[in-house]
């Protein structure tokens, strides 16, 4: 059974790598098209831009009213971002855990889209930052868990991080004791 799980994990990894390669090719194709059609692309994109006044008039009153509540989320996102960055810069070298490259997770490129007005750009910036920080924090936490407690839970959890399948089965004390040091050193270079 363990062999079958390992084979499935290897197939999943292979498919993820294949998917990343396809995404890379699509990005290259899009970059090439952008270079060829840059001016036409901008003209076309700008035609879809909705003016700020029209955007606000069309927005529902309760949406506008609750915006400050949503935007207050900047504070915890920023604090979490700062704490986790500091945490991994202090602790990861001690545990010999490779640091997570923040820029792989926090990507703020949507503000360059010419068809977005100022509010839409700010909203995209906010969502990109919040989701990027969440993904960044998750990877830092996953690497920490891999070092300190690489044991699966007794029951299935939803949305487990990518390192979780390599963890030891719940209750398998022998495997844990024999393999924990090996797993603590097992970080792929592309992570």
């Amino acid at each position: 059974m363990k062999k079958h799980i390992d084979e499935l994990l290897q197939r999943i990894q292979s498919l993820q790598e294949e998917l990343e390669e396809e995404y890379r090719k699509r990005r290259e194709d899009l970059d090439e098209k952008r270079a060829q059609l840059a001016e036409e692309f901008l003209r076309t994109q700008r035609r879809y831009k909705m003016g700020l006044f029209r955007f606000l008039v069309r927005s529902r009153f309760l949406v506008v009213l609750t915006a400050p509540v949503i935007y207050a989320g900047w504070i915890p996102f920023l604090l979490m971002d700062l704490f986790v960055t500091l945490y991994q810069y202090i602790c990861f070298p001690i545990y010999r855990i490779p640091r997570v490259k923040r820029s792989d997770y926090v990507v703020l490129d949507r503000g360059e889209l010419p068809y977005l007005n100022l509010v839409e750009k700010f909203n995209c910036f906010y969502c990109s930052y919040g989701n990027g920080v969440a993904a960044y924090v998750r990877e830092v936490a996953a690497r920490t868990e891999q070092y300190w407690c690489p044991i699966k839970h007794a029951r299935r959890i939803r949305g487990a991080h990518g390192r979780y399948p390599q963890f030891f089965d719940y209750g398998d004390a022998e495997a844990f004791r024999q393999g924990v040091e090996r797993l603590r050193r097992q970080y792929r270079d592309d992570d």
Side-chain angles (χ1 to χ4, degrees):
M1 182 157 151
K2 175 89 169 110
K3 182 179 178 187
H4 182 66
I5 290 172
D6 289 343
E7 289 172 358
L8 288 172
L9 290 172
Q10 191 173 18
R11 285 185 9 217
I12 289 170
Q13 177 67 30
S14 176
L15 287 170
Q16 286 174 330
E17 289 171 3
E18 187 177 333
L19 182 61
E20 276 301 314
E21 179 62 21
E22 287 301 314
Y23 283 149
R24 186 192 62 74
K25 287 178 184 175
R26 288 185 80 184
R27 282 190 304 270
E28 285 178 0
D29 290 346
L30 184 59
D31 288 345
E32 189 175 309
K33 284 180 183 178
R34 269 194 204 134
Q36 293 171 354
L37 306 169
E39 191 58 41
E40 181 61 33
F41 181 77
L42 282 174
R43 274 197 303 275
T44 302
Q45 294 279 303
R46 286 184 183 129
R47 283 198 329 243
Y48 291 98
K49 185 174 184 174
M50 183 184 297
L52 188 57
F53 180 75
R54 193 166 123 204
F55 175 80
L56 291 173
V57 168
R58 288 185 170 193
S59 297
R60 291 183 327 181
F61 177 71
L62 289 177
V63 170
V64 174
L65 192 64
T66 59
V69 176
I70 293 171
Y71 297 145
W74 274 106
I75 297 165
F77 283 131
L78 182 61
L79 291 174
M80 182 63 85
D81 189 6
L82 292 172
F83 173 78
V84 168
T85 299
L86 185 62
Y87 161 76
Q88 79 160 337
Y89 272 84
I90 292 170
C91 298
F92 276 21
I94 294 168
Y95 308 134
R96 295 187 179 101
I97 299 172
R99 281 196 295 259
V100 177
K101 190 175 176 186
R102 184 180 173 278
S103 63
D104 287 346
Y105 297 89
V106 180
V107 178
L108 306 171
D109 59 356
R110 295 177 185 166
E112 299 168 16
L113 294 169
Y115 57 86
L116 299 177
N117 63 42
L118 187 62
V119 172
E120 292 168 323
K121 286 181 181 190
F122 181 77
N123 289 342
C124 283
F125 179 82
Y126 175 79
C127 292
S128 295
Y129 181 71
N131 282 293
V133 168
Y136 169 63
V137 167
R138 180 178 182 154
E139 180 58 22
V140 170
R143 290 182 188 199
T144 301
E145 184 178 28
Q146 180 175 337
Y147 183 87
W148 287 106
C149 189
I151 301 170
K152 295 176 185 168
H153 291 277
R155 49 179 260 238
R156 188 178 185 282
I157 60 171
R158 295 183 79 168
H161 55 74
R163 298 176 178 285
Y164 190 79
Q166 302 301 321
F167 288 7
F168 302 102
D169 289 333
Y170 183 87
D172 192 348
E174 182 181 355
F176 175 76
R177 287 292 169 221
Q178 290 177 355
V180 70
E181 288 303 321
R182 173 193 48 80
L183 191 58
R184 283 180 174 167
R185 294 184 306 274
Q186 190 175 345
Y187 295 94
R188 295 189 320 255
D189 289 340
D190 61 337
D191 287 337

